[in-house]
Amino acid sequence: MNVYDSARMTDVLAPLGYEPTEDQTQADMVVLNTCHIREKASEKVFSELGRLREQQEENREQGRDLIIAVAGCVAQAEGQVIMDRSPWVDIVLGPQTYHRLPEMVARAERAAAQDDRRYTTNERRLRGFGILDTEFPAEPKFDHLPMPTAQGPSAFLSVQEGCDKFCTFCVVPYTRGAEYSRPASDILAEARKLVSDGARELTLLGQNVNAYHGNAAQGTGTWGLGRLIRALADINGLDRIRYTTSHPRDLDDELITAHADIPQLMPFLHLPVQSGSDKILRAMNRGHTGAEYRAKVDRLRTAVPDLVLSSDFIVGFPHESDADFADTMALVRDVGFIQAYSFKYSPRPGTPASAMESQVPEPVKSERLAILQEELMRQQNAFNQSCIGKTMAVLLDRPGRQPGQLVGRSPFMQPVHVPAEAGTVGDIVHARITSCSATSMAAIPVGKTGHDPLTTDRTCPV
Ligand code: 5AD
Ligand code: SF4
Protein backbone atom coordinates (compact mmCIF):
# COMPACT_ATOMS: atom_id res chain seq x y z
CA MET A 1 0.00 0.00 0.00
CA ASN A 2 2.85 2.39 0.77
CA VAL A 3 4.43 1.67 -2.62
CA TYR A 4 1.09 2.52 -4.22
CA ASP A 5 0.67 5.67 -2.10
CA SER A 6 4.19 6.83 -2.97
CA ALA A 7 3.41 6.44 -6.67
CA ARG A 8 0.23 8.48 -6.22
CA MET A 9 2.14 11.20 -4.38
CA THR A 10 4.53 11.31 -7.34
CA ASP A 11 1.49 11.73 -9.63
CA VAL A 12 0.04 14.65 -7.65
CA LEU A 13 3.41 16.40 -7.47
CA ALA A 14 4.15 16.11 -11.20
CA PRO A 15 2.14 19.25 -12.19
CA LEU A 16 4.30 21.27 -9.78
CA GLY A 17 7.37 20.19 -11.73
CA TYR A 18 8.64 17.56 -9.30
CA GLU A 19 9.89 14.25 -10.64
CA PRO A 20 11.53 11.30 -8.87
CA THR A 21 15.32 11.13 -8.61
CA GLU A 22 17.55 8.21 -7.76
CA ASP A 23 20.13 10.59 -6.30
CA GLN A 24 18.96 12.01 -2.98
CA THR A 25 21.64 14.72 -2.94
CA GLN A 26 19.99 16.21 -6.06
CA ALA A 27 16.55 16.34 -4.46
CA ASP A 28 14.69 19.61 -3.83
CA MET A 29 12.22 17.72 -1.68
CA VAL A 30 12.25 14.41 0.17
CA VAL A 31 9.01 12.70 1.17
CA LEU A 32 9.43 9.92 3.71
CA ASN A 33 6.47 7.58 3.39
CA THR A 34 6.40 5.80 6.72
CA CYS A 35 5.08 2.63 8.34
CA HIS A 36 3.92 2.36 11.95
CA ILE A 37 3.03 -1.31 12.04
CA ARG A 38 5.94 -2.40 14.26
CA GLU A 39 8.30 -0.40 16.45
CA LYS A 40 11.31 -1.14 14.24
CA ALA A 41 9.64 0.43 11.22
CA SER A 42 8.67 3.62 12.98
CA GLU A 43 12.04 4.04 14.75
CA LYS A 44 13.69 4.27 11.34
CA VAL A 45 11.86 7.51 10.65
CA PHE A 46 13.59 9.49 13.37
CA SER A 47 17.08 8.32 12.43
CA GLU A 48 16.37 9.14 8.78
CA LEU A 49 15.13 12.60 9.76
CA GLY A 50 18.42 13.26 11.55
CA ARG A 51 20.32 12.48 8.34
CA LEU A 52 18.00 14.64 6.27
CA ARG A 53 18.55 17.60 8.57
CA GLU A 54 22.26 17.45 7.74
CA GLN A 55 21.47 17.38 4.05
CA GLN A 56 19.08 20.31 4.42
CA GLU A 57 21.83 22.32 6.09
CA GLU A 58 24.37 21.39 3.41
CA ASN A 59 21.90 22.41 0.73
CA ARG A 60 21.31 25.74 2.41
CA GLU A 61 25.02 26.40 2.50
CA GLN A 62 24.94 25.91 -1.28
CA GLY A 63 21.99 28.30 -1.57
CA ARG A 64 19.47 25.53 -2.32
CA ASP A 65 16.52 24.43 -0.29
CA LEU A 66 15.39 20.97 0.76
CA ILE A 67 11.76 20.56 1.65
CA ILE A 68 11.22 17.61 3.99
CA ALA A 69 7.83 15.94 4.23
CA VAL A 70 6.84 12.99 6.40
CA ALA A 71 3.84 11.03 5.11
CA GLY A 72 2.15 7.76 6.03
CA CYS A 73 1.16 6.10 9.26
CA VAL A 74 3.97 7.34 11.54
CA ALA A 75 2.99 10.85 10.47
CA GLN A 76 -0.64 10.04 11.27
CA ALA A 77 0.11 8.59 14.69
CA GLU A 78 2.96 10.84 15.79
CA GLY A 79 2.56 14.00 13.72
CA GLN A 80 2.88 16.46 16.59
CA VAL A 81 5.84 14.56 18.06
CA ILE A 82 7.60 14.76 14.68
CA MET A 83 6.96 18.51 14.48
CA ASP A 84 8.22 19.04 18.02
CA ARG A 85 11.24 16.78 17.80
CA SER A 86 12.25 17.65 14.25
CA PRO A 87 11.32 21.28 13.55
CA TRP A 88 13.30 21.17 10.29
CA VAL A 89 10.46 19.06 8.87
CA ASP A 90 8.29 21.25 6.63
CA ILE A 91 5.25 19.03 6.12
CA VAL A 92 3.63 16.19 8.05
CA LEU A 93 0.69 14.51 6.35
CA GLY A 94 -1.36 11.38 6.98
CA PRO A 95 -2.31 8.64 4.53
CA GLN A 96 -5.73 10.17 3.86
CA THR A 97 -4.61 13.70 2.92
CA TYR A 98 -1.89 13.26 0.32
CA HIS A 99 -4.14 14.58 -2.44
CA ARG A 100 -3.60 17.95 -0.71
CA LEU A 101 0.17 17.62 -0.96
CA PRO A 102 0.47 20.18 -3.82
CA GLU A 103 -1.14 22.91 -1.64
CA MET A 104 1.10 22.00 1.26
CA VAL A 105 4.22 22.04 -0.93
CA ALA A 106 3.21 25.40 -2.41
CA ARG A 107 2.88 26.78 1.13
CA ALA A 108 6.22 25.30 2.15
CA GLU A 109 7.86 26.75 -0.98
CA ARG A 110 6.37 30.17 -0.18
CA ALA A 111 7.64 29.95 3.39
CA ALA A 112 11.10 29.08 2.10
CA ALA A 113 10.99 31.94 -0.42
CA GLN A 114 10.07 34.37 2.35
CA ASP A 115 13.31 33.35 3.90
CA ASP A 116 11.94 31.44 6.84
CA ARG A 117 15.15 29.51 6.53
CA ARG A 118 17.05 32.28 8.23
CA TYR A 119 15.53 31.03 11.44
CA THR A 120 17.26 28.29 13.35
CA THR A 121 15.31 25.07 13.64
CA ASN A 122 14.50 25.91 17.24
CA GLU A 123 13.12 29.30 16.25
CA ARG A 124 11.12 27.62 13.53
CA ARG A 125 9.53 25.39 16.14
CA LEU A 126 8.73 28.34 18.39
CA ARG A 127 7.27 30.33 15.49
CA GLY A 128 5.10 27.38 14.54
CA PHE A 129 6.38 26.90 11.00
CA GLY A 130 5.63 23.58 9.48
CA ILE A 131 2.40 22.20 8.09
CA LEU A 132 0.54 19.38 9.81
CA ASP A 133 -2.41 17.72 8.08
CA THR A 134 -3.46 14.41 9.58
CA GLU A 135 -7.19 14.80 9.14
CA PHE A 136 -9.56 12.07 8.02
CA PRO A 137 -11.45 14.14 5.43
CA ALA A 138 -15.13 13.33 4.84
CA GLU A 139 -14.54 13.21 1.10
CA PRO A 140 -12.23 10.35 0.14
CA LYS A 141 -8.91 11.29 -1.41
CA PHE A 142 -9.64 9.07 -4.40
CA ASP A 143 -12.16 11.66 -5.64
CA HIS A 144 -9.31 14.17 -5.92
CA LEU A 145 -6.49 12.06 -7.33
CA PRO A 146 -5.62 12.00 -11.02
CA MET A 147 -5.92 8.69 -12.92
CA PRO A 148 -2.68 6.80 -12.36
CA THR A 149 -0.43 5.66 -15.20
CA ALA A 150 0.80 2.05 -15.28
CA GLN A 151 4.58 1.97 -15.11
CA GLY A 152 4.92 -1.59 -16.37
CA PRO A 153 3.04 -4.84 -16.99
CA SER A 154 2.09 -5.24 -13.34
CA ALA A 155 0.19 -2.47 -11.54
CA PHE A 156 -1.44 -1.88 -8.18
CA LEU A 157 -5.00 -0.69 -7.83
CA SER A 158 -6.30 0.41 -4.45
CA VAL A 159 -9.92 -0.75 -4.00
CA GLN A 160 -10.39 -0.52 -0.26
CA GLU A 161 -8.72 1.22 2.64
CA GLY A 162 -8.80 1.25 6.40
CA CYS A 163 -10.05 -1.37 8.77
CA ASP A 164 -12.86 -1.82 11.30
CA LYS A 165 -11.61 -5.13 12.72
CA PHE A 166 -9.52 -3.74 15.60
CA CYS A 167 -7.22 -6.70 16.16
CA THR A 168 -5.82 -5.91 19.58
CA PHE A 169 -2.18 -5.72 18.37
CA CYS A 170 -2.74 -3.53 15.33
CA VAL A 171 -2.42 0.22 14.68
CA VAL A 172 -4.05 0.16 11.24
CA PRO A 173 -7.61 1.07 12.33
CA TYR A 174 -6.17 4.14 14.08
CA THR A 175 -3.71 5.25 11.41
CA ARG A 176 -5.58 4.40 8.21
CA GLY A 177 -9.02 5.04 9.64
CA ALA A 178 -12.39 3.38 9.10
CA GLU A 179 -13.03 0.91 6.32
CA TYR A 180 -13.84 2.51 2.98
CA SER A 181 -14.56 0.83 -0.36
CA ARG A 182 -14.27 2.70 -3.64
CA PRO A 183 -17.26 2.52 -5.99
CA ALA A 184 -16.92 -0.38 -8.45
CA SER A 185 -17.36 1.90 -11.47
CA ASP A 186 -14.33 4.01 -10.44
CA ILE A 187 -12.26 0.86 -9.99
CA LEU A 188 -13.30 -0.52 -13.38
CA ALA A 189 -12.46 2.79 -15.08
CA GLU A 190 -9.05 2.87 -13.41
CA ALA A 191 -8.41 -0.78 -14.33
CA ARG A 192 -9.26 -0.10 -18.00
CA LYS A 193 -6.89 2.86 -18.00
CA LEU A 194 -4.07 0.81 -16.46
CA VAL A 195 -4.60 -1.99 -19.01
CA SER A 196 -4.61 0.51 -21.88
CA ASP A 197 -1.28 1.80 -20.50
CA GLY A 198 0.13 -1.75 -20.85
CA ALA A 199 -0.63 -3.45 -17.53
CA ARG A 200 -1.43 -7.15 -17.89
CA GLU A 201 -1.59 -7.88 -14.19
CA LEU A 202 -3.45 -5.95 -11.51
CA THR A 203 -3.03 -6.41 -7.78
CA LEU A 204 -6.05 -5.09 -5.94
CA LEU A 205 -5.01 -3.46 -2.70
CA GLY A 206 -6.69 -2.90 0.63
CA GLN A 207 -5.77 -3.31 4.29
CA ASN A 208 -8.78 -5.59 4.42
CA VAL A 209 -9.28 -6.12 0.73
CA ASN A 210 -11.83 -8.92 0.87
CA ALA A 211 -14.06 -6.82 3.15
CA TYR A 212 -14.61 -4.82 -0.05
CA HIS A 213 -18.24 -3.69 -0.40
CA GLY A 214 -18.25 -0.81 -2.87
CA ASN A 215 -21.26 0.60 -4.70
CA ALA A 216 -22.25 -1.69 -7.56
CA ALA A 217 -21.23 -0.64 -11.07
CA GLN A 218 -24.70 -1.55 -12.35
CA GLY A 219 -27.99 -1.35 -10.51
CA THR A 220 -28.23 -0.65 -6.83
CA GLY A 221 -26.60 -2.14 -3.78
CA THR A 222 -23.00 -3.10 -3.26
CA TRP A 223 -20.56 -5.58 -4.74
CA GLY A 224 -18.27 -7.85 -2.77
CA LEU A 225 -14.72 -8.60 -3.91
CA GLY A 226 -15.74 -11.77 -5.80
CA ARG A 227 -18.26 -9.82 -7.87
CA LEU A 228 -15.76 -7.04 -8.52
CA ILE A 229 -13.16 -9.54 -9.73
CA ARG A 230 -15.72 -11.09 -12.06
CA ALA A 231 -16.29 -7.68 -13.68
CA LEU A 232 -12.55 -6.99 -13.90
CA ALA A 233 -12.00 -10.34 -15.59
CA ASP A 234 -14.09 -9.11 -18.53
CA ILE A 235 -11.50 -6.45 -19.35
CA ASN A 236 -9.75 -7.44 -22.53
CA GLY A 237 -5.98 -7.66 -22.05
CA LEU A 238 -6.12 -8.11 -18.28
CA ASP A 239 -4.46 -11.52 -17.92
CA ARG A 240 -3.73 -11.73 -14.22
CA ILE A 241 -5.60 -10.58 -11.13
CA ARG A 242 -4.33 -10.74 -7.56
CA TYR A 243 -5.47 -9.13 -4.34
CA THR A 244 -3.95 -8.43 -0.95
CA THR A 245 -4.38 -8.47 2.07
CA SER A 246 -7.29 -10.70 3.00
CA HIS A 247 -8.90 -11.51 6.30
CA PRO A 248 -10.00 -15.14 6.81
CA ARG A 249 -13.37 -13.97 8.15
CA ASP A 250 -14.22 -12.14 4.93
CA LEU A 251 -13.31 -15.00 2.60
CA ASP A 252 -16.88 -15.70 1.47
CA ASP A 253 -18.44 -18.18 -0.96
CA GLU A 254 -18.59 -15.60 -3.74
CA LEU A 255 -14.83 -15.13 -3.55
CA ILE A 256 -14.09 -18.85 -3.33
CA THR A 257 -16.28 -19.45 -6.39
CA ALA A 258 -14.50 -16.62 -8.20
CA HIS A 259 -11.22 -18.47 -7.59
CA ALA A 260 -12.71 -21.61 -9.12
CA ASP A 261 -14.27 -19.89 -12.15
CA ILE A 262 -11.88 -17.13 -13.15
CA PRO A 263 -8.64 -18.29 -14.74
CA GLN A 264 -7.15 -14.80 -14.51
CA LEU A 265 -7.35 -14.96 -10.72
CA MET A 266 -3.92 -16.28 -9.80
CA PRO A 267 -3.65 -19.39 -7.61
CA PHE A 268 -1.70 -17.68 -4.83
CA LEU A 269 -3.38 -16.19 -1.79
CA HIS A 270 -1.91 -14.24 1.11
CA LEU A 271 -4.19 -15.13 4.01
CA PRO A 272 -2.80 -14.06 7.39
CA VAL A 273 -3.65 -16.33 10.30
CA GLN A 274 -1.34 -14.76 12.95
CA SER A 275 -1.58 -17.71 15.37
CA GLY A 276 -2.76 -21.32 15.54
CA SER A 277 -4.00 -21.07 19.14
CA ASP A 278 -7.67 -20.36 19.74
CA LYS A 279 -6.88 -18.72 23.05
CA ILE A 280 -4.46 -16.31 21.37
CA LEU A 281 -6.71 -15.72 18.37
CA ARG A 282 -9.46 -14.73 20.82
CA ALA A 283 -7.11 -12.39 22.72
CA MET A 284 -6.09 -10.89 19.36
CA ASN A 285 -9.79 -10.30 18.53
CA ARG A 286 -9.29 -12.03 15.19
CA GLY A 287 -12.86 -13.32 15.03
CA HIS A 288 -11.92 -16.81 13.83
CA THR A 289 -10.54 -20.01 15.31
CA GLY A 290 -7.77 -22.24 13.99
CA ALA A 291 -10.39 -24.77 12.86
CA GLU A 292 -12.33 -22.10 10.94
CA TYR A 293 -9.14 -21.03 9.18
CA ARG A 294 -8.36 -24.63 8.23
CA ALA A 295 -11.93 -25.14 6.99
CA LYS A 296 -11.72 -22.06 4.74
CA VAL A 297 -8.43 -23.30 3.31
CA ASP A 298 -9.96 -26.72 2.66
CA ARG A 299 -12.84 -25.12 0.78
CA LEU A 300 -10.46 -23.00 -1.26
CA ARG A 301 -8.38 -26.02 -2.16
CA THR A 302 -11.44 -28.01 -3.12
CA ALA A 303 -12.40 -25.17 -5.45
CA VAL A 304 -8.86 -24.59 -6.77
CA PRO A 305 -6.63 -27.62 -6.30
CA ASP A 306 -3.45 -25.79 -7.35
CA LEU A 307 -3.95 -22.87 -4.95
CA VAL A 308 -0.99 -22.11 -2.67
CA LEU A 309 -0.91 -19.93 0.40
CA SER A 310 1.19 -17.39 2.16
CA SER A 311 0.51 -15.94 5.60
CA ASP A 312 1.50 -13.60 8.43
CA PHE A 313 2.39 -14.84 11.93
CA ILE A 314 2.98 -13.08 15.22
CA VAL A 315 4.89 -14.94 17.94
CA GLY A 316 5.08 -13.90 21.57
CA PHE A 317 1.70 -12.23 21.78
CA PRO A 318 0.83 -11.58 25.48
CA HIS A 319 -0.12 -14.79 27.31
CA GLU A 320 1.29 -17.03 24.53
CA SER A 321 2.41 -20.24 26.27
CA ASP A 322 4.54 -23.06 24.89
CA ALA A 323 1.31 -24.95 24.20
CA ASP A 324 -0.15 -22.00 22.25
CA PHE A 325 3.02 -21.76 20.20
CA ALA A 326 2.86 -25.52 19.57
CA ASP A 327 -0.66 -24.97 18.15
CA THR A 328 0.80 -22.41 15.72
CA MET A 329 3.49 -24.88 14.64
CA ALA A 330 0.86 -27.60 14.16
CA LEU A 331 -1.23 -25.31 11.97
CA VAL A 332 1.82 -24.40 9.88
CA ARG A 333 2.69 -28.06 9.35
CA ASP A 334 -0.90 -29.04 8.55
CA VAL A 335 -1.81 -26.19 6.19
CA GLY A 336 1.53 -25.66 4.43
CA PHE A 337 2.66 -22.23 3.24
CA ILE A 338 4.90 -21.55 0.29
CA GLN A 339 5.93 -18.18 1.69
CA ALA A 340 5.26 -16.23 4.89
CA TYR A 341 6.03 -13.17 6.96
CA SER A 342 6.61 -13.75 10.67
CA PHE A 343 7.21 -11.24 13.41
CA LYS A 344 7.84 -10.96 17.11
CA TYR A 345 4.92 -9.24 18.77
CA SER A 346 5.72 -5.53 19.02
CA PRO A 347 3.63 -3.54 21.53
CA ARG A 348 2.18 -0.51 19.78
CA PRO A 349 1.14 2.60 21.70
CA GLY A 350 -2.61 2.91 22.16
CA THR A 351 -3.48 -0.65 21.15
CA PRO A 352 -5.25 -2.88 23.72
CA ALA A 353 -2.62 -5.64 23.59
CA SER A 354 0.15 -3.26 24.60
CA ALA A 355 -1.56 -2.83 27.99
CA MET A 356 -2.12 -6.57 28.53
CA GLU A 357 -0.39 -8.33 31.38
CA SER A 358 1.87 -11.31 30.76
CA GLN A 359 3.97 -9.81 28.01
CA VAL A 360 6.26 -12.54 26.70
CA PRO A 361 9.99 -12.00 27.43
CA GLU A 362 12.15 -11.03 24.45
CA PRO A 363 14.37 -14.16 24.51
CA VAL A 364 11.28 -16.38 24.37
CA LYS A 365 9.94 -14.41 21.41
CA SER A 366 13.28 -14.76 19.63
CA GLU A 367 13.44 -18.48 20.24
CA ARG A 368 9.91 -19.06 18.97
CA LEU A 369 10.48 -16.89 15.93
CA ALA A 370 13.60 -18.88 15.01
CA ILE A 371 11.72 -22.19 15.31
CA LEU A 372 8.80 -20.91 13.26
CA GLN A 373 10.99 -19.38 10.58
CA GLU A 374 12.99 -22.56 10.20
CA GLU A 375 9.82 -24.52 9.45
CA LEU A 376 8.46 -21.82 7.13
CA MET A 377 11.76 -21.70 5.25
CA ARG A 378 11.75 -25.50 4.97
CA GLN A 379 8.27 -25.36 3.39
CA GLN A 380 9.26 -22.51 1.06
CA ASN A 381 12.35 -24.40 -0.11
CA ALA A 382 10.41 -27.62 -0.54
CA PHE A 383 7.89 -25.85 -2.75
CA ASN A 384 10.55 -24.16 -4.85
CA GLN A 385 12.49 -27.43 -5.25
CA SER A 386 9.32 -29.23 -6.33
CA CYS A 387 8.94 -26.71 -9.16
CA ILE A 388 12.18 -27.79 -10.84
CA GLY A 389 11.38 -29.41 -14.16
CA LYS A 390 7.85 -27.93 -14.32
CA THR A 391 6.68 -25.43 -16.92
CA MET A 392 5.02 -22.24 -15.77
CA ALA A 393 3.63 -19.09 -17.33
CA VAL A 394 5.88 -16.19 -16.36
CA LEU A 395 4.89 -12.56 -16.76
CA LEU A 396 8.14 -10.74 -17.54
CA ASP A 397 8.11 -7.47 -15.65
CA ARG A 398 11.68 -6.09 -15.50
CA PRO A 399 15.26 -6.52 -16.66
CA GLY A 400 17.37 -8.67 -14.33
CA ARG A 401 20.32 -7.37 -12.34
CA GLN A 402 22.67 -9.42 -14.52
CA PRO A 403 22.90 -8.31 -18.13
CA GLY A 404 21.14 -10.68 -20.52
CA GLN A 405 18.46 -11.57 -17.98
CA LEU A 406 14.80 -10.78 -17.56
CA VAL A 407 12.75 -11.32 -14.43
CA GLY A 408 9.09 -12.13 -14.12
CA ARG A 409 6.65 -13.71 -11.72
CA SER A 410 5.31 -17.22 -11.71
CA PRO A 411 1.56 -17.64 -11.10
CA PHE A 412 2.61 -18.53 -7.54
CA MET A 413 4.46 -15.20 -7.09
CA GLN A 414 8.10 -16.32 -7.11
CA PRO A 415 10.49 -14.15 -9.11
CA VAL A 416 11.66 -16.20 -12.12
CA HIS A 417 14.86 -15.32 -13.99
CA VAL A 418 15.00 -16.15 -17.69
CA PRO A 419 17.54 -15.40 -20.43
CA ALA A 420 16.76 -12.14 -22.25
CA GLU A 421 16.06 -14.02 -25.54
CA ALA A 422 12.94 -15.40 -23.84
CA GLY A 423 10.99 -12.27 -24.81
CA THR A 424 10.52 -8.69 -23.72
CA VAL A 425 9.11 -7.03 -20.63
CA GLY A 426 5.33 -7.45 -20.79
CA ASP A 427 5.37 -10.91 -22.40
CA ILE A 428 3.89 -13.95 -20.70
CA VAL A 429 6.26 -16.79 -21.58
CA HIS A 430 6.19 -20.48 -20.84
CA ALA A 431 9.37 -21.37 -19.04
CA ARG A 432 10.71 -24.59 -17.56
CA ILE A 433 12.16 -24.15 -14.08
CA THR A 434 15.78 -25.34 -13.99
CA SER A 435 16.98 -24.28 -10.55
CA CYS A 436 15.88 -22.37 -7.50
CA SER A 437 17.05 -20.64 -4.36
CA ALA A 438 14.96 -19.92 -1.28
CA THR A 439 13.55 -16.77 -2.84
CA SER A 440 13.71 -17.10 -6.62
CA MET A 441 13.88 -19.48 -9.55
CA ALA A 442 15.70 -19.71 -12.86
CA ALA A 443 14.02 -21.02 -16.00
CA ILE A 444 14.50 -21.56 -19.72
CA PRO A 445 11.82 -20.50 -22.19
CA VAL A 446 9.75 -23.15 -23.94
CA GLY A 447 7.32 -20.86 -25.80
CA LYS A 448 5.47 -17.59 -25.76
CA THR A 449 1.77 -17.26 -25.11
CA GLY A 450 -0.69 -14.84 -26.61
CA HIS A 451 -3.09 -12.68 -24.67
CA ASP A 452 -5.41 -15.50 -23.71
CA PRO A 453 -4.66 -16.61 -20.17
CA LEU A 454 -6.48 -19.85 -20.84
CA THR A 455 -3.56 -20.89 -23.00
CA THR A 456 -1.14 -20.52 -20.10
CA ASP A 457 -0.13 -23.54 -18.13
CA ARG A 458 -0.56 -22.75 -14.50
CA THR A 459 -0.76 -26.27 -13.19
CA CYS A 460 0.45 -26.39 -9.63
CA PRO A 461 3.61 -28.43 -9.58
CA VAL A 462 3.00 -29.88 -6.12
N1 5AD B 1 3.49 -6.72 16.29
C1 5AD B 1 3.97 -7.62 15.41
N2 5AD B 1 3.45 -7.80 14.20
C2 5AD B 1 2.40 -7.04 13.84
N3 5AD B 1 1.67 -7.02 12.72
C3 5AD B 1 0.72 -6.06 12.85
N4 5AD B 1 0.81 -5.47 14.05
C4 5AD B 1 1.86 -6.08 14.69
C5 5AD B 1 2.43 -5.92 15.97
N5 5AD B 1 1.96 -5.04 16.84
C6 5AD B 1 1.88 -7.92 11.60
C7 5AD B 1 0.67 -8.82 11.38
C8 5AD B 1 0.06 -8.23 10.14
C9 5AD B 1 1.28 -7.72 9.40
C10 5AD B 1 1.01 -6.71 8.35
O1 5AD B 1 2.08 -7.16 10.42
O2 5AD B 1 1.11 -10.14 11.16
O3 5AD B 1 -0.68 -9.19 9.38
FE1 SF4 C 1 -4.85 -4.80 11.52
FE2 SF4 C 1 -5.51 -6.57 9.59
FE3 SF4 C 1 -6.53 -6.80 12.09
FE4 SF4 C 1 -7.32 -4.79 10.48
S1 SF4 C 1 -7.65 -7.03 10.15
S2 SF4 C 1 -6.82 -4.65 12.65
S3 SF4 C 1 -5.43 -4.33 9.40
S4 SF4 C 1 -4.37 -7.02 11.45
Side-chain angles (χ1 to χ4, degrees):
M1 185 67 93
N2 271 14
V3 172
Y4 173 87
D5 287 343
S6 298
R8 305 313 310 272
M9 285 189 243
T10 309
D11 292 345
V12 296
L13 289 171
L16 274 70
Y18 286 94
E19 56 183 51
T21 172
E22 294 293 321
D23 179 1
Q24 201 174 297
T25 61
Q26 294 300 309
D28 301 304
M29 168 162 55
V30 172
V31 183
L32 294 184
N33 195 10
T34 62
C35 175
H36 200 240
I37 197 90
R38 285 170 297 276
E39 197 179 353
K40 225 173 167 178
S42 59
E43 269 171 2
K44 276 195 210 154
V45 178
F46 289 98
S47 53
E48 193 62 27
L49 283 176
R51 279 194 339 94
L52 283 172
R53 177 192 193 172
E54 285 169 23
Q55 198 187 323
Q56 194 181 50
E57 274 166 9
E58 270 169 39
N59 278 22
R60 271 196 247 169
E61 278 161 24
Q62 296 163 9
R64 292 198 292 139
D65 206 354
L66 178 67
I67 293 176
I68 300 174
V70 184
C73 290
V74 179
Q76 187 67 44
E78 299 187 43
Q80 197 54 55
V81 179
I82 294 171
M83 294 300 241
D84 292 346
R85 270 177 60 181
S86 315
W88 56 93
V89 169
D90 297 280
I91 300 170
V92 173
L93 73 158
Q96 304 309 346
T97 54
Y98 62 71
H99 56 293
R100 298 177 184 160
L101 195 50
E103 284 159 58
M104 298 181 215
V105 171
R107 271 172 64 198
E109 283 173 343
R110 272 201 302 278
Q114 286 163 11
D115 204 16
D116 291 340
R117 297 292 193 214
R118 73 193 132 96
Y119 298 111
T120 63
T121 45
N122 204 32
E123 282 166 341
R124 278 172 60 77
R125 182 172 56 79
L126 294 174
R127 281 164 190 272
F129 290 131
I131 300 158
L132 173 68
D133 187 351
T134 49
E135 240 198 292
F136 288 109
E139 269 194 47
K141 63 175 177 253
F142 295 103
D143 292 353
H144 301 275
L145 289 170
M147 274 277 189
T149 305
Q151 302 296 334
S154 181
F156 289 130
L157 201 176
S158 181
V159 303
Q160 180 279 338
E161 251 199 87
C163 183
D164 296 341
K165 296 276 191 304
F166 290 93
C167 298
T168 54
F169 54 80
C170 186
V171 289
V172 167
Y174 311 98
T175 56
R176 287 268 168 180
E179 212 181 284
Y180 167 74
S181 296
R182 296 177 67 191
S185 52
D186 291 2
I187 295 166
L188 290 170
E190 194 164 311
R192 282 189 207 100
K193 161 77 167 57
L194 292 167
V195 170
S196 73
D197 290 341
R200 297 185 71 175
E201 173 177 84
L202 291 182
T203 302
L204 312 180
L205 296 179
Q207 270 83 37
N208 219 189
V209 70
N210 59 343
Y212 176 80
H213 60 279
N215 286 342
Q218 293 114 31
T220 52
T222 58
W223 281 2
L225 188 65
R227 179 69 189 82
L228 178 70
I229 289 172
R230 229 167 253 283
L232 287 164
D234 286 337
I235 297 177
N236 213 354
L238 179 54
D239 295 317
R240 290 183 165 195
I241 303 171
R242 304 180 185 275
Y243 59 92
T244 199
T245 292
S246 295
H247 195 292
R249 245 163 80 188
D250 295 314
L251 183 65
D252 60 10
D253 286 345
E254 193 182 36
L255 191 52
I256 294 176
T257 317
H259 271 281
D261 294 349
I262 300 172
Q264 294 96 320
L265 194 49
M266 289 290 101
F268 169 88
L269 182 60
H270 182 60
L271 193 63
V273 64
Q274 315 295 359
S275 168
S277 151
D278 288 349
K279 179 187 99 190
I280 297 298
L281 288 168
R282 208 174 316 114
M284 288 176 164
N285 190 32
R286 289 288 291 173
H288 62 84
T289 61
E292 281 161 354
Y293 183 89
R294 289 164 194 252
K296 290 250 165 133
V297 169
D298 285 347
R299 283 174 49 212
L300 267 168
R301 285 182 167 151
T302 306
V304 188
D306 65 354
L307 188 117
V308 292
L309 291 168
S310 114
S311 198
D312 289 345
F313 297 90
I314 296 177
V315 297
F317 188 80
H319 300 285
E320 188 188 67
S321 65
D322 286 342
D324 294 319
F325 178 63
D327 286 347
T328 299
M329 292 303 294
L331 183 138
V332 170
R333 280 190 290 266
D334 293 348
V335 174
F337 297 94
I338 69 149
Q339 197 220 302
Y341 302 95
S342 47
F343 314 100
K344 288 190 246 185
Y345 168 66
S346 165
R348 307 306 292 127
T351 57
S354 67
M356 285 178 188
E357 283 166 18
S358 296
Q359 298 284 330
V360 173
E362 202 53 33
V364 177
K365 288 185 191 172
S366 299
E367 194 190 354
R368 288 182 188 162
L369 188 66
I371 295 168
L372 173 64
Q373 289 188 337
E374 192 185 328
E375 174 60 17
L376 291 169
M377 197 37 80
R378 193 193 64 72
Q379 296 191 354
Q380 183 167 328
N381 269 314
F383 176 79
N384 289 359
Q385 287 288 339
S386 72
C387 294
I388 294 176
K390 309 282 175 186
T391 297
M392 293 188 196
V394 179
L395 170 58
L396 302 176
D397 58 15
R398 64 199 141 102
R401 271 202 215 112
Q402 320 274 1
Q405 247 188 9
L406 287 170
V407 190
R409 291 268 173 187
S410 80
F412 311 103
M413 271 307 266
Q414 295 78 18
V416 181
H417 298 254
V418 295
E421 325 57 280
T424 53
V425 168
D427 285 343
I428 293 178
V429 295
H430 277 174
R432 192 163 57 248
I433 309 298
T434 51
S435 66
C436 69
S437 70
T439 51
S440 71
M441 299 178 178
I444 48 167
V446 293
K448 197 184 288 190
T449 71
H451 255 284
D452 180 2
L454 294 170
T455 63
T456 63
D457 167 12
R458 52 159 249 200
T459 313
C460 179
V462 289

